[in-house]
Amino acid sequence: MTVDARPSVWSRLLRRLWWETRAAHVVWQRELLHYARNPARLIMTLAQPVVYLLVLGTGLGAMLPGGGGYPTYLFPGVLLMTVQAPAIAIGASVAVDREAGFLREMLVAPVHRVSLLAGRCAGAATVATCQGVLVLGLAGLAHIPYAPELMLALIAEMALIAFAMTAFVALLAVVISPTPTFHAALGCVLTPLVFLSGALFPIAGLPVWLTALMVANPLTYVIDLLRRTIAPYLARPEPAAVHSPVLMELAVTAGVGLLSVLLAARRLSRPR
Amino acid sequence: MRPGAIHTHSLRKSYQGMRAVCGISLNVEAGEMFGFLGPNGAGKSTMISMLSTLLRPSGGRALVAGIDVRDDPKEVRRRIGLVFQEPTVDTDLTVRENLAFHATLYGLGKHDARRRVAEAADLVGLTGRGDTLVRTLSDSMRRLLEIARGLLHEPGVLFLDEPTVGLDPQARAEIWEHLRELRHRRAITVFLTTHHLEEAEYCDHIAMVDRGRVVADDSPAALKRLIGTDRIHLRTGDDQAAAATLSDYLGLASAWGPDGLYVQVTDAATAIPWVCTVLRVPVHSIEVRRPSLDEVFLRYTGRTLDGASRPEVSL
């Protein structure tokens, strides 16, 4: 009996897996279609990091003693902001979809919630990476060489960061309700995190409590990861703010993403 | 139990001590058009959410298409179609993309999906609009698209939560035309909630619900029979003579009003020819008032469906 049952269990499992993969794939596709159909949204989310690079990079750089290196310093932060915008928009759309009903239509389908969330985060990662590639085109303005290995490494890292951020924002969207409270919470958490990540200025000589916040801030490691990927290609590398192994930083980012997907899925599948 | 049937036994749901559904037992036969009729806040949407596994019941049992909603929610979801009260189509996608999206979530193969998308679009009259952005469709077409989507995976039971809410009368009539067409073409159980009396009339079986309890449960005709008889309103040239004639020849008692005569009969359709034959006075108009479901609801709850507590009842 058990011998007979085995192949059927396996084939059932494979079919199930194929079904879930296709479900995640259409959710991914839907996110891309949304972006493709709203070019205005694309341009607006792209405008912010470019403005930061051009205005803050050159303007603030001119004020600093020896500020010629400031655009270079700012570049990882600009990349972070580039992927952050679509990650937040798509992660937060879980909250909008939940109230408008499209999420309910997905939830009533016989598909695992992990597939739905993973598809959405993958969609955000794809959109964010595409925008990131465009911003990478401006690397020359920040005196960063267009080395192919560097560009590929940065693209891969941006995809990972976008996935993790979308998952994290989606988790917040699922846990914090109603929607206005969620949006308020998002604004009140994210801005300080960006300031405390070392994206805009080196964080040194801060009071102890702010240093503690900086060390606990996941964005600190994301920025450090990008900065250290770029450093070997620079003529005059910046001293890094934190020194944690790059592999650990990658693992933490991926871990935060996966954990967020699982927790959000768990929360969604629990009927009220 | 036949596939497609719904059976609940003292199903309950409370939210933080507030009882939304207080022990509802229902038997919906396979293939029936079942109407769940009640005012806003009666617990209709809660009931649908429980039957479609989106809400966990606080107590009692519910079998949908033969499966307990608590034991195997995923299998229940595979066998039901659900159209929510609020619109849930993606307005940035086209009609076909919306349907294809749904088909994939329900595990339909590519070939199968294409055929069923075409069939479902045809069933609701959206053929030829496959590439239209949903944003540009009218409200009634969006609703029809949602119904088509709910039918795509060929469910045994289709739940419709207030399918015509927010639509104008013409759009409502259009939706109903398609629902009747659907019943001609497919063997499917339809469970719908409504607070429109005229929609309940289209159902084979209705349950009236008020404050989380079922107050009446039967076919619309049987419920109206409980209320009793048809009323004929006559305007004649000489009401007094007419009343005497009806009493002498047909044994019908009539009530005299300022605007004519009111006669109670068991079946107006057979009584009217007799009335016309015996009357020797000119008849200006004949009007029949059948007992309405509103009167049934009033009798069980002391209120009408739109919430008025003591309406003026003529006669």
Side-chain angles (χ1 to χ4, degrees):
Chain A
M1 274 307 273
T2 46
V3 179
D4 285 351
R6 242 173 120 176
S8 92
V9 165
W10 278 109
S11 72
R12 262 218 311 262
L13 201 70
L14 271 177
R15 268 189 55 179
R16 186 74 231 171
L17 210 62
W18 173 235
W19 179 345
E20 298 289 349
T21 313
R22 283 188 60 211
H25 176 252
V26 284
V27 176
W28 172 79
Q29 210 170 29
R30 173 177 174 246
E31 293 304 336
L32 296 197
L33 280 173
H34 273 203
Y35 258 84
R37 300 234 164 111
N38 295 292
R41 194 167 129 187
L42 203 116
I43 290 162
M44 277 189 286
T45 50
L46 204 53
Q48 199 200 2
V50 173
V51 165
Y52 262 80
L53 182 64
L54 296 181
V55 177
L56 214 60
T58 50
L60 210 59
M63 276 171 60
L64 297 172
Y70 189 60
T72 317
Y73 180 83
L74 195 62
F75 201 69
V78 169
L79 291 184
L80 176 68
M81 275 184 268
T82 309
V83 298
Q84 182 180 284
I88 290 175
I90 294 178
S93 68
V94 172
V96 179
D97 273 359
R98 181 173 58 184
E99 296 200 349
F102 197 81
L103 187 71
R104 292 182 71 193
E105 126 73 13
M106 290 201 255
L107 290 184
V108 83
V111 183
H112 205 285
R113 280 85 177 100
V114 167
S115 316
L116 300 175
L117 284 163
R120 196 179 271 253
C121 294
T126 309
V127 170
T129 311
C130 290
Q131 300 202 358
V133 168
L134 294 178
V135 172
L136 272 185
L138 301 177
L141 289 180
H143 317 295
I144 292 170
Y146 295 100
E149 314 90 65
L150 173 62
M151 294 295 127
L152 285 179
L154 287 177
I155 289 170
E157 283 169 4
M158 282 191 290
L160 177 69
I161 294 166
F163 186 94
M165 279 188 95
T166 315
F168 186 69
V169 173
L171 174 64
L172 291 183
V174 167
V175 172
I176 305 175
S177 66
T179 309
T181 315
F182 159 70
H183 281 292
L186 201 61
C188 122
V189 168
L190 269 172
T191 316
L193 285 190
V194 171
F195 279 120
L196 276 176
S197 67
L200 304 178
F201 45 84
I203 19 183
L206 289 177
V208 180
W209 66 278
L210 275 181
T211 311
L213 276 181
M214 184 202 97
V215 172
N217 178 2
L219 292 187
T220 305
Y221 302 96
V222 167
I223 285 290
D224 191 56
L225 178 64
L226 292 170
R227 205 181 289 294
R228 282 168 55 174
T229 309
I230 296 173
Y233 297 87
L234 295 179
R236 206 156 43 94
E238 307 269 342
V242 280
H243 291 283
S244 36
V246 169
L247 266 181
M248 190 202 85
E249 289 173 338
L250 283 170
V252 165
T253 312
V256 165
L258 288 180
L259 197 68
S260 301
V261 167
L262 293 179
L263 286 176
R266 217 183 123 93
R267 180 66 189 238
L268 278 178
S269 53
R270 193 178 65 200
R272 284 161 298 152
Chain B
M1 187 172 181
R2 289 176 58 199
I6 300 166
H7 174 78
T8 72
H9 182 70
S10 51
L11 197 61
R12 292 191 304 279
K13 179 71 192 177
S14 329
Y15 301 97
Q16 291 145 5
M18 282 273 292
R19 291 198 288 176
V21 168
C22 344
I24 287 187
S25 303
L26 287 176
N27 261 314
V28 179
E29 299 291 329
E32 260 184 351
M33 171 92 82
F34 177 82
F36 207 51
L37 177 73
N40 288 328
K44 301 187 301 269
S45 291
T46 306
M47 192 71 181
I48 278 206
S49 295
M50 282 195 284
L51 294 178
S52 58
T53 76
L54 285 175
L55 271 183
R56 185 182 285 278
S58 312
R61 250 162 79 80
L63 295 174
V64 175
I67 297 158
D68 192 306
V69 294
R70 281 208 267 200
D71 292 349
D72 195 352
K74 215 170 205 173
E75 189 55 38
V76 171
R77 283 189 219 132
R78 200 168 307 172
R79 296 178 185 210
I80 62 170
L82 178 55
V83 177
F84 295 101
Q85 189 170 340
E86 65 272 20
T88 61
V89 278
D90 188 331
T91 51
D92 280 338
L93 301 186
T94 66
V95 168
R96 186 173 298 119
E97 283 164 352
N98 263 288
L99 293 175
F101 182 83
H102 184 90
T104 311
L105 289 192
Y106 281 80
L108 299 183
K110 252 196 181 125
H111 184 73
D112 217 14
R114 200 170 309 139
R115 179 178 58 82
R116 292 207 208 171
V117 164
E119 268 175 24
D122 175 52
L123 195 61
V124 298
L126 285 173
T127 306
R129 293 201 175 254
D131 296 319
T132 312
L133 273 184
V134 171
R135 204 186 306 145
T136 63
L137 291 182
S138 70
D139 286 348
S140 66
M141 281 194 222
R142 287 187 201 189
R143 218 80 252 267
L144 288 170
L145 172 60
E146 289 185 77
I147 293 174
R149 190 180 61 185
L151 292 169
L152 210 56
H153 52 288
E154 296 183 351
V157 184
L158 179 66
F159 288 99
L160 301 167
D161 196 359
E162 300 270 0
T164 61
V165 78
L167 296 180
D168 58 61
Q170 198 187 341
R172 269 202 337 238
E174 200 187 327
I175 303 274
W176 271 99
E177 197 182 304
H178 286 291
L179 286 178
R180 277 194 295 265
E181 172 72 20
L182 163 69
R183 297 200 59 213
H184 274 295
R185 292 216 227 161
R186 287 194 190 172
I188 188 168
T189 311
V190 179
F191 184 112
L192 66 96
T193 67
T194 179
H195 62 268
H196 284 299
L197 287 160
E198 61 270 36
E199 297 190 348
E201 299 271 1
Y202 298 135
C203 298
D204 307 316
H205 174 186
I206 56 178
M208 290 187 171
V209 59
D210 186 43
R211 293 175 181 150
R213 287 173 211 282
V214 169
V215 293
D217 177 7
D218 213 326
S219 71
L223 286 175
K224 283 187 287 191
R225 269 200 299 278
L226 287 175
I227 285 294
T229 53
D230 294 353
R231 281 194 299 268
I232 303 175
H233 177 201
L234 282 166
R235 272 180 228 262
T236 63
D238 184 349
D239 287 347
Q240 198 175 359
T245 314
L246 289 176
S247 159
D248 291 349
Y249 287 83
L250 300 175
L252 290 174
S254 33
W256 222 327
D259 56 343
L261 283 177
Y262 290 92
V263 186
Q264 295 228 5
V265 296
T266 42
D267 181 16
T270 54
I272 286 173
W274 285 105
V275 169
C276 292
T277 314
V278 299
L279 284 182
R280 292 283 169 260
V281 294
V283 177
H284 301 316
S285 73
I286 298 184
E287 203 182 333
V288 175
R289 277 197 62 183
R290 306 210 109 109
S292 74
L293 287 173
D294 208 14
E295 286 166 85
V296 180
F297 191 79
L298 177 70
R299 170 162 156 184
Y300 284 108
T301 65
R303 293 177 301 127
T304 56
L305 266 170
D306 47 28
S309 58
R310 267 192 197 286
E312 203 179 312
V313 187
S314 53
L315 192 88

